[in-house]
Amino acid sequence: MTQQEVIESLPAHLRPFVKTQNYEDYTPRDHAVWRFVMKHLVRQLADSAHPVYRAGLSKTGITMDQVPSIEEMNRCLAMLGWRAVVVDGFLPPAIFMEFQSLKVLVIAIEMRSVEHIFYTPAPDIIHEAAGHAPFIVDVDYAEFLQRFGEVGMKAIATRHDLEQYEAIRKLSILKECPSSDPGDIAKAQAVLERLMKSDAPLSEAARLTRLHWWTVEYGLVGSVDDYRLFGAGLLSSLGESRHCLDDEAVKKVPLTVNAVEQPYDITHQQPTLFVTKSCKHLTQVLEEFAASMCYQRGGADSVRRAIDAESVCTVELDTGTQMSGRFSEVLCDAVGNATYVRTVGATQLAHNGTQIYGHGIEKHSHGFGSPIGYLKDFSRCLSAYTVDELKAHQIEVGKRVELEYLSGITVKGMLQAIVRQDQKNLVLSFLDCSVTDLDGGVHFAPDGGTYDLLVGGRITSVFGGAADRLKLQLFKPTPRTKTIQVEPDADLMEAYREVACINASNQTRSAAELPKSVCRALQLYPDEWLLRVELLGSANPALSTRLHGELAAISGLDEELVRLLALSPPEPGNPSFAVQEAS
């Protein structure tokens, strides 16, 4: 499938989050960064990564020598029943999980900069492609990943979660951009730190994010004494994949559902990692957590969680009818059964994930409320009665109707319409209607206009987000912050391109045989270490010695880089050199 065909195959509300990979936008230095990281990762992970990793790279369209093409990845992923799309940085967690539930791998389109070659504060194509894709070839893991998406898109996120997401996204974009103002970074950092120090209760979504971190991102498999790496965060980090093997510095703990209580810090190497026994074990832990979530438990307590979240959630009734909005109230009887629920602001009514015609946020823009439960003297839920059976109970369109609930709530009014779908009564609409309870409470008065009653006996599920995500889009427009593009230096990129061509020729070169563009770049950019590393691939012994000397003389090199290149400081009196231009 082409990129466009993949995009068109997605639900319409997900398409705005997808970008198109223009492969020509990757610079020669981007490809050099990819080669450097992948070369050392594959070598370093030869014994420590799960065996699936190396085989999975080639089977998902990932090569060692250049940034992967999303279309080539899709050609390979199609044989595994998956697809891939490119996106701009961090996505809202619920959107990310929805992609995953559809067996769509989300790939950040950007390539990390040379300055962040060992750790990038923003998602990039190395982490997303080389980290996440390889293990999809394992059927059990792929099924676990899809199931995680299904569970994750149901998690209730709080307003605090959404604010923290935007803060993380903004800070990551600023930190990754070399030209960002330090003051802007400091302000963004302060906002995120304030949010992280908040005493806001931990939401379902936040707990599930932790489980995702300790399994999908930073998971180990095996036993605490004999383990292999499978988490994408480990597999895409040269530093962390080595550091995690230090059993004194990094504690290894058997994975249980208690991992949701363990916080993490994305800016530091992890002091504790969790070890799963197998993919089946991963799924067992996920299902154990899912059983505690509101979407499986339902009931009044789950509605209270939605109220506390102050975000759009959905209440689903046993009839399949659904109410989506910001919940503000749930009334209960003496034994805890929900008897009335209410929202504030724009509200959607749906049935089995599809908005009920005429009952979108345009109709219910100021909130919605409805009794829940069974009627007196009715042997079944009101939804199950045929039109003729309703008439036998004096429930007929165009006539005054009185509905008495077991809870004591009474609905009186002129029945204007009945919405029926799948041989069920879903919504009853009244004019001149009053809704009262035994304590004298008035939930709706006759002068309020049309009263719509959602039919259902009990709350079976409460979950985050809207029922019909196309008709009620929570993230519209898409994220406010955009990745900052930096214009590359044309002369430097030409030098990288020339060096790549030299390496492709499989011929060694001396300093005198180098193209003028390469010689000029080596002179003008004395700290451009990656260009020198690339050139080592075809340097003759004399040039290689000189390049190593220049690399050793570059000040401020990352310790990890010095280790990988086996550099030693230059000898006294033998500083770095300038490669002479070829005549």
Side-chain angles (χ1 to χ4, degrees):
M1 298 177 73
T2 65
Q3 290 188 72
Q4 193 57 40
E5 287 172 334
V6 171
I7 293 171
E8 290 174 357
S9 73
L10 297 172
H13 67 282
L14 293 180
R15 295 174 197 166
F17 294 93
V18 179
K19 305 299 178 184
T20 300
Q21 183 191 49
N22 184 355
Y23 200 75
E24 290 68 32
D25 287 345
Y26 294 110
T27 68
R29 183 162 61 175
D30 288 335
H31 292 292
V33 170
W34 175 271
R35 283 190 291 272
F36 180 86
V37 174
M38 291 304 298
K39 169 188 173 182
H40 290 285
L41 273 176
V42 170
R43 179 184 300 166
Q44 186 165 290
L45 294 167
D47 298 320
S48 58
H50 190 283
V52 169
Y53 169 71
R54 185 62 188 268
L57 286 172
S58 59
K59 289 182 179 179
T60 52
I62 298 171
T63 64
M64 300 296 104
D65 57 347
Q66 60 186 7
V67 176
S69 157
I70 198 67
E71 294 201 348
E72 175 60 20
M73 287 189 69
N74 270 319
R75 187 186 67 79
C76 297
L77 288 169
M79 293 183 280
L80 304 171
W82 281 68
R83 295 165 289 168
V85 295
V86 292
V87 300
D88 177 23
F90 283 112
L91 292 183
I95 296 295
F96 176 88
M97 289 294 179
E98 187 169 0
F99 274 111
Q100 197 164 288
S101 74
L102 297 170
K103 301 172 75 172
V104 176
L105 192 63
V106 172
I107 307 288
I109 196 171
E110 297 297 324
M111 168 58 74
R112 67 187 63 182
S113 63
V114 174
E115 292 81 5
H116 295 127
I117 199 164
F118 291 103
Y119 174 81
T120 173
D124 84 320
I125 196 166
I126 293 179
H127 171 77
E128 306 290 356
H132 284 288
F135 279 91
I136 290 179
V137 302
D138 185 291
V139 174
D140 290 334
Y141 181 81
E143 290 178 352
F144 160 73
L145 206 61
Q146 180 189 13
R147 178 59 180 156
F148 210 123
E150 292 172 346
V151 173
M153 65 184 290
K154 297 285 189 178
I156 293 177
T158 64
R159 185 174 63 177
H160 177 269
D161 292 332
L162 302 179
E163 291 174 353
Q164 187 164 301
Y165 153 72
E166 285 286 359
I168 290 173
R169 177 179 168 85
K170 181 175 183 178
L171 180 61
S172 70
I173 289 173
L174 289 172
K175 279 190 170 183
E176 177 58 26
C177 178
S179 62
S180 292
D181 186 294
D184 292 338
I185 294 177
K187 290 178 183 178
Q189 183 76 51
V191 170
L192 179 57
E193 289 177 357
R194 175 180 58 79
L195 290 169
M196 294 181 70
K197 291 178 181 177
S198 169
D199 58 358
L202 207 60
S203 69
E204 282 184 350
R207 289 174 180 269
L208 199 62
T209 297
R210 289 180 175 182
L211 187 59
H212 193 270
W213 181 268
W214 296 126
T215 56
V216 176
E217 294 291 353
Y218 277 79
L220 302 174
V221 59
S223 68
V224 293
D225 299 317
D226 183 17
Y227 52 82
R228 295 292 182 270
L229 285 59
F230 78 90
L234 297 175
L235 297 177
S236 60
S237 170
L238 284 166
E240 195 101 31
S241 61
R242 186 170 64 91
H243 173 73
C244 75
L245 302 177
D246 186 340
D247 290 335
E248 292 187 3
V250 182
K251 182 180 179 182
K252 311 303 188 302
V253 179
L255 178 69
T256 69
V257 75
N258 293 340
V260 301
E261 299 296 332
Q262 179 70 33
Y264 60 87
D265 184 345
I266 64 173
T267 64
H268 294 87
Q269 293 179 323
Q270 307 307 314
T272 301
L273 292 178
F274 292 86
V275 187
T276 181
K277 189 174 181 180
S278 63
C279 285
K280 182 178 180 180
H281 179 210
L282 286 174
T283 300
Q284 287 177 312
V285 172
L286 174 62
E287 294 299 347
E288 191 172 3
F289 180 78
S292 72
M293 294 172 62
C294 295
Y295 90 94
Q296 290 200 24
R297 291 169 50 225
D301 285 342
S302 296
V303 181
R304 294 188 186 98
R305 294 280 292 273
I307 293 171
D308 293 340
E310 298 183 302
S311 62
V312 173
C313 295
T314 296
V315 162
E316 182 172 310
L317 306 182
D318 52 359
T319 55
T321 52
Q322 298 158 316
M323 182 192 314
S324 300
R326 279 210 309 120
F327 286 85
S328 59
E329 183 180 31
V330 57
L331 302 179
C332 298
D333 59 22
V335 293
N337 296 314
T339 59
Y340 200 94
V341 292
R342 191 188 310 276
T343 65
V344 293
T347 303
Q348 173 194 78
L349 303 185
H351 180 247
N352 293 335
T354 301
Q355 182 172 294
I356 297 172
Y357 180 77
H359 288 279
I361 59 175
E362 299 80 12
K363 172 72 179 294
H364 305 291
S365 59
H366 301 294
F368 183 84
S370 179
I372 296 170
Y374 300 100
L375 299 175
K376 295 177 181 179
D377 296 329
F378 279 66
S379 60
R380 312 191 308 277
C381 179
L382 182 62
S383 67
Y385 283 72
T386 66
V387 173
D388 288 338
E389 288 176 321
L390 291 177
K391 289 180 180 179
H393 284 81
Q394 288 77 52
I395 301 174
E396 189 175 350
V397 173
K399 296 185 177 181
R400 293 199 65 82
V401 170
E402 180 173 338
L403 304 178
E404 293 185 85
Y405 283 80
L406 291 175
S407 63
I409 292 177
T410 301
V411 178
K412 296 180 181 180
M414 177 69 69
L415 184 59
Q416 183 186 30
I418 300 176
V419 175
R420 284 181 60 84
Q421 286 181 207
D422 300 333
Q423 299 180 327
K424 291 181 180 179
N425 305 304
L426 304 184
V427 181
L428 276 61
S429 298
F430 296 87
L431 293 175
D432 190 28
C433 182
S434 65
V435 182
T436 58
D437 59 38
L438 292 177
D439 296 324
V442 177
H443 303 285
F444 195 86
D447 59 0
T450 301
Y451 180 76
D452 297 303
L453 184 151
L454 197 63
V455 179
R458 58 189 179 88
I459 296 173
T460 57
S461 180
V462 179
F463 56 86
D468 188 330
R469 296 186 175 216
L470 174 60
K471 298 295 178 62
L472 179 51
Q473 297 182 31
L474 303 186
F475 301 97
K476 185 181 180 181
T478 48
R480 296 188 293 270
T481 48
K482 300 295 181 184
T483 299
I484 302 169
Q485 302 295 327
V486 178
E487 190 69 27
D489 184 297
D491 291 336
L492 183 58
M493 295 308 107
E494 175 61 19
Y496 271 100
R497 189 190 67 78
E498 290 277 13
V499 171
C501 290
I502 292 172
N503 288 337
S505 71
N506 292 318
Q507 296 180 348
T508 59
R509 298 289 181 96
S510 66
E513 295 172 319
L514 295 178
K516 290 184 178 181
S517 62
V518 176
C519 295
R520 188 179 303 110
L522 291 172
Q523 291 176 332
L524 295 178
Y525 304 95
D527 293 334
E528 191 71 18
W529 64 266
L530 184 58
L531 180 63
R532 288 162 171 81
V533 170
E534 282 274 287
L535 189 54
L536 282 170
S538 24
N540 70 3
L543 178 56
S544 179
T545 299
R546 291 183 175 182
L547 290 172
H548 273 99
E550 284 205 335
L551 286 166
I554 296 175
S555 62
L557 287 182
D558 188 283
E559 291 182 7
E560 185 71 14
L561 178 60
V562 172
R563 182 189 69 80
L564 289 175
L565 299 179
L567 295 175
S568 58
E571 297 178 5
N574 184 28
S576 60
F577 75 106
V579 178
Q580 300 299 312
E581 283 193 17
S583 57

